[in-house]
Amino acid sequence: MGIHLQRVSFSYDEKKSKTFRQTLDDIELSVEGKNEFIAVLGHTGSGKSTLIQHMNALLVPQSGLVSVFGKTIYPKNNEGLKEVRQNVGIVFQFPEYQLFEETVLKDIMFGPRNFGLDANQAKERAEAAAKSVGISEELLGRSPFTLSGGQMRRVAIAGVLASQPKILILDEPTVGLDPKGKRELMNLLTDLQKKTEISILIVTHDMNVVSRYIKRAVVLSEGKIVYDGPTKELFQKLELLRQYHLDLPEISKIAIDLSERFGFDLPYVPILKEELVSILEGEIGGKP
Amino acid sequence: MNNKIVFGQYYHADSWIHRLDPRVKIILIFLLMTAIFLIDDFLILGVAIFLGFVVIASSKVPIKRFLRSLRQIFVLLLFTFFFQIVFNRSGEMVLDLTMNINVFNLSILAFMLVIYGSLYKHIRKKGRWFLAILAVFVFYQIYTLNVDPVYTYRFMVYEKGLSTAGFVVLRILILILISSLLTLSTKPTDLNNGLEAVLSPLEKIGLKTSILAMMIAIALRFIPTLLNEAFKILKAQASRGVDFREGKLKDKIVQIVSLLIPMFIISFKRAEDLSDAMEARGYIPGEKRTKINEMRMKWTDVISLVVVIGLMVGLVYMRVSQ
């Protein structure tokens, strides 16, 4: 179970036009329905947004197959896509713009209501979802437009979580937040993942987030998957990172800079603070 | 992503018409439209149409694009034509058809309508046309039969009616072609700048044309942006289970509200940001502004103006001397 993309290709251009370019080119990707925490990385225009929209059938493949929890999505004539969207929830960039109801609670209830739950069930789920993203009960009765930016974003995420998707996809969830807000949101998502064991997939440019929280990374470039594997190994491939214009986490940059300045070899590129500390301790210990 | 939303019908090409000063182009189009109504001779009208097509051909805009704008008013043209033919009864009679409506052909008509209606969905476009023409033909045959007429109608066409109908239709045709030439060969922003310049004398009587032009320019600029935003919101709400194709009326209203309210908020926010940005860069409504692309008259502009004004003078002279 989960999401499986088989030889998926997609393009926004018409096949006849001269500038024809595949936005997705022969993508093979599997996302398990449980306990995954994936980062989708890639330069602007590499097809990340297009890829995630295939995962809940907002876009359908022009060739190839997408199967989502046993339901296959074909290039044409699909029905029952609602069920797919219930299993896979997407939180888009700047999701605070999707809020529209009179109260926070009503807005979070909107998703479950659409998926056919009655008012009581929807309310229960909404309250649970609000709690899991750290929205206090006093806020539930307020208008979403009176909240701060960070709070609005959490309400929007709760709005998708309330439908209890098995896979949650977030498109640049931390963009536009201050460092504290970023940290809080990422901690919240990691906690959520551990507690509920759902799969979370995040599109991001922030390598510090990737190195710190995420185990598996998928790198896209010009519509092709060029890396799919553990995050840690990705950051050892400096050549690959340079080729696809990907940044290193701050810790790795510091480590490389230090090693060049003081002339010692790194056994591996550290991506966490603790790793750098242990390497440095080893260095100092070796040369008293 | 996909920024394929194009507003207006501008067709990009590089021709002398495209390069004409938009102010001159607007004035020319206005003059030519007036000129069309001064012509009352079929021969001159024919020459005008020929010249029109020469200009259209030299604009490098595919003729298809012109036909597309003609298609929109096709029904109007047809209606005017028949109206003139049927009701204008002066001059000599050219055609006289006696038509009889009786029980026999009425029932046939009803029968044909039923067949056409039931077949309509199953046949392709060309087949439909063929069927329609066949139906008209068969109907006409029966129509002229003289069996117990319930009502007799004499379809009479007069010379004057025919010529007036021809004139009206041809004039509208040329009007549409000329105005499409303007919108097809001028970018919406240039058109707006041109209009602002042409209408600027109206500032003297208190009409703030520069503000109006700015408003139109901003509206044009933001249509694609807001459409993009609308698609994003649509997708976000679709992820929350909104399906615009199904649901009861009450659900549909909530679904549309879920699109409209975010759109309002985004528009207001954008408007506020934009007005701040404009103010920060010293925009004061109604004040004199300089432009980055100053419109300049070139020799082609002058020549075309002279030619068209010459044409106008000639036509007025002909009209007066008649």
Side-chain angles (χ1 to χ4, degrees):
Chain A
M1 284 293 164
I3 304 174
H4 303 281
L5 283 81
Q6 287 165 27
R7 312 208 55 170
V8 168
S9 293
F10 184 86
S11 173
Y12 290 105
D13 297 329
E14 274 178 54
K15 274 231 164 76
K16 282 177 251 165
S17 78
K18 280 176 199 157
T19 53
F20 180 74
R21 194 175 75 85
Q22 293 278 12
T23 311
L24 290 183
D25 195 355
D26 220 3
I27 295 276
E28 293 272 347
L29 183 67
S30 284
V31 179
E32 293 304 316
K34 228 179 159 191
N35 270 328
E36 287 239 50
F37 208 172
I38 305 176
V40 177
L41 309 172
H43 212 233
T44 313
S46 57
K48 298 175 303 235
S49 291
T50 313
L51 177 69
I52 60 167
Q53 285 178 43
H54 275 81
M55 293 183 175
N56 80 343
L58 284 173
L59 293 174
V60 294
Q62 278 166 356
S63 68
L65 290 179
V66 178
S67 107
V68 182
F69 291 96
K71 164 129 186 94
T72 312
I73 298 156
Y74 301 94
K76 261 180 195 164
N77 304 331
N78 288 294
E79 268 176 25
L81 296 180
K82 225 172 171 174
E83 173 199 347
V84 171
R85 291 183 189 146
Q86 191 171 8
N87 284 329
V88 182
I90 298 189
V91 178
F92 282 93
Q93 263 178 45
F94 298 104
E96 46 271 32
Y97 286 125
Q98 77 191 33
L99 305 177
F100 73 100
E101 278 282 13
E102 295 155 58
T103 66
V104 170
L105 182 70
K106 272 192 179 175
D107 203 282
I108 303 177
M109 278 165 65
F110 182 62
R113 290 286 278 156
N114 280 330
F115 289 121
L117 267 68
D118 66 43
N120 284 330
Q121 283 173 303
K123 195 172 170 229
E124 258 170 50
R125 281 205 192 178
E127 278 164 354
K131 204 174 163 196
S132 70
V133 296
I135 292 290
S136 61
E137 260 173 58
E138 306 96 75
L139 293 180
L140 291 181
R142 285 196 14 206
S143 158
F145 304 112
T146 60
L147 304 179
S148 73
Q151 284 171 326
M152 278 166 95
R153 188 162 297 188
R154 285 181 195 194
V155 170
I157 293 173
V160 174
L161 270 181
S163 309
Q164 297 189 346
K166 294 181 185 120
I167 295 180
L168 179 67
I169 298 173
L170 301 105
D171 193 353
E172 305 213 26
T174 55
V175 78
L177 292 180
D178 55 22
K180 185 168 164 265
K182 261 185 207 180
R183 213 163 36 228
E184 280 176 1
L185 183 61
M186 285 315 296
N187 284 334
L188 189 151
L189 289 174
T190 5
D191 284 350
L192 185 80
Q193 200 278 321
K194 275 188 195 130
K195 238 181 264 167
T196 56
E197 299 195 327
I198 61 172
S199 288
I200 296 183
L201 190 145
I202 292 180
V203 174
T204 184
H205 284 288
D206 190 337
M207 293 306 164
N208 298 316
V209 165
V210 177
S211 63
R212 194 136 169 230
Y213 300 97
I214 298 169
K215 305 266 157 1
R216 179 178 161 196
V218 172
V219 180
L220 273 177
S221 174
E222 293 181 355
K224 287 191 173 75
I225 289 181
V226 290
Y227 179 86
D228 182 359
T231 313
K232 197 162 173 177
E233 278 170 36
L234 172 69
F235 290 118
Q236 310 302 318
K237 301 183 183 206
L238 297 177
E239 195 49 47
L240 184 120
L241 292 176
R242 205 169 301 130
Q243 191 184 345
Y244 297 115
H245 310 283
L246 295 177
D247 221 356
L248 274 171
E250 292 303 320
I251 294 291
S252 314
K253 279 189 202 160
I254 292 170
I256 290 169
D257 192 47
L258 282 177
S259 78
E260 277 167 8
R261 226 181 266 193
F262 296 104
F264 61 89
D265 288 331
L266 290 169
Y268 60 94
V269 182
I271 60 171
L272 296 174
K273 197 162 72 189
E274 296 76 33
E275 291 174 350
L276 177 59
V277 169
S278 81
I279 290 174
L280 289 180
E281 274 172 356
E283 278 301 313
I284 296 163
K287 288 182 255 172
Chain B
M1 270 179 52
N2 56 339
N3 302 316
K4 292 273 152 54
I5 307 148
V6 186
F7 183 74
Q9 33 176 352
Y10 176 69
Y11 179 87
H12 186 76
D14 185 32
S15 74
W16 67 281
I17 302 242
H18 283 76
R19 282 188 299 258
L20 276 183
D21 187 317
R23 288 171 300 179
V24 173
K25 235 190 283 189
I26 291 168
I27 295 172
L28 287 182
I29 298 296
F30 180 72
L31 286 178
L32 284 173
M33 283 183 167
T34 335
I36 295 302
F37 283 95
L38 286 173
I39 299 174
D40 57 353
D41 187 284
F42 264 117
L43 189 71
I44 299 178
L45 199 63
V47 172
I49 291 175
F50 174 74
L51 287 177
F53 273 103
V54 169
V55 172
I56 282 172
S58 71
S59 75
K60 292 184 189 167
V61 178
I63 196 84
K64 240 185 176 173
R65 299 293 293 262
F66 287 94
L67 294 181
R68 204 181 295 170
S69 51
L70 273 184
R71 200 165 53 191
Q72 291 159 3
I73 58 135
F74 183 71
V75 177
L76 178 78
L77 279 181
L78 216 66
F79 182 74
T80 349
F81 187 76
F82 278 105
F83 200 78
Q84 286 292 343
I85 281 188
V86 172
F87 290 103
N88 196 332
R89 294 188 167 167
S90 47
E92 265 176 63
M93 194 195 285
V94 266
L95 187 71
D96 184 4
L97 281 176
T98 307
M99 296 180 175
N100 305 302
I101 295 175
N102 50 40
V103 189
F104 181 58
N105 62 32
L106 266 184
S107 56
I108 296 255
L109 179 66
F111 180 66
M112 276 185 345
L113 279 176
V114 169
I115 291 187
Y116 187 68
S118 58
L119 284 178
Y120 190 79
K121 275 189 182 168
H122 305 287
I123 36 183
R124 295 207 178 150
K125 221 170 181 179
K126 272 183 189 159
R128 270 180 223 162
W129 275 108
F130 177 70
L131 205 72
I133 290 166
L134 190 77
V136 168
F137 181 71
V138 173
F139 186 61
Y140 173 76
Q141 295 286 324
I142 304 159
Y143 212 43
T144 44
L145 272 180
N146 196 357
V147 190
D148 295 336
V150 181
Y151 176 78
T152 312
Y153 177 73
R154 281 181 74 196
F155 182 68
M156 293 170 292
V157 177
Y158 292 84
E159 196 185 37
K160 193 79 183 166
L162 208 59
S163 70
T164 323
F167 262 115
V168 169
V169 167
L170 284 176
R171 273 178 186 153
I172 297 178
L173 213 92
I174 299 180
L175 280 186
I176 299 296
L177 286 182
I178 289 178
S179 53
S180 336
L181 186 62
L182 179 67
T183 50
L184 282 167
S185 69
T186 323
K187 286 184 194 133
T189 45
D190 286 344
L191 202 60
N192 189 37
N193 285 336
L195 261 176
E196 184 191 351
V198 171
L199 294 179
S200 61
L202 291 178
E203 295 248 343
K204 293 219 169 64
I205 58 162
L207 202 72
K208 296 276 179 228
T209 46
S210 63
I211 298 177
L212 212 69
M214 178 56 82
M215 276 159 57
I216 297 171
I218 290 172
L220 285 176
R221 160 66 186 77
F222 275 96
I223 285 171
T225 315
L226 287 178
L227 263 176
N228 250 334
E229 296 285 355
F231 283 130
K232 275 188 202 159
I233 297 293
L234 211 62
K235 281 183 174 165
Q237 305 297 30
S239 290
R240 293 210 279 168
V242 167
D243 192 338
F244 285 95
R245 281 170 304 178
E246 56 185 63
K248 283 169 276 179
L249 185 67
K250 197 184 145 229
D251 299 336
K252 280 227 166 86
I253 290 169
V254 178
Q255 288 170 350
I256 289 170
V257 167
S258 77
L259 175 67
L260 280 185
I261 290 182
M263 282 315 292
F264 268 114
I265 288 165
I266 288 172
S267 314
F268 279 119
K269 200 174 142 37
R270 284 212 179 259
E272 264 169 39
D273 289 352
L274 182 70
S275 67
D276 284 347
M278 284 168 79
E279 251 181 299
R281 291 198 276 168
Y283 178 78
I284 301 163
E287 289 291 291
K288 178 132 186 64
R289 298 172 63 225
T290 51
K291 288 209 163 85
I292 188 163
N293 293 320
E294 206 63 61
M295 288 180 280
R296 272 198 206 96
M297 300 260 271
K298 293 176 293 280
W299 61 271
T300 37
D301 296 310
V302 179
I303 289 179
S304 15
L305 255 181
V306 168
V307 169
V308 170
I309 290 174
L311 267 172
M312 277 292 278
V313 171
L315 281 169
V316 171
Y317 178 75
M318 272 174 56
R319 198 62 194 252
V320 172
S321 66
Q322 262 173 8

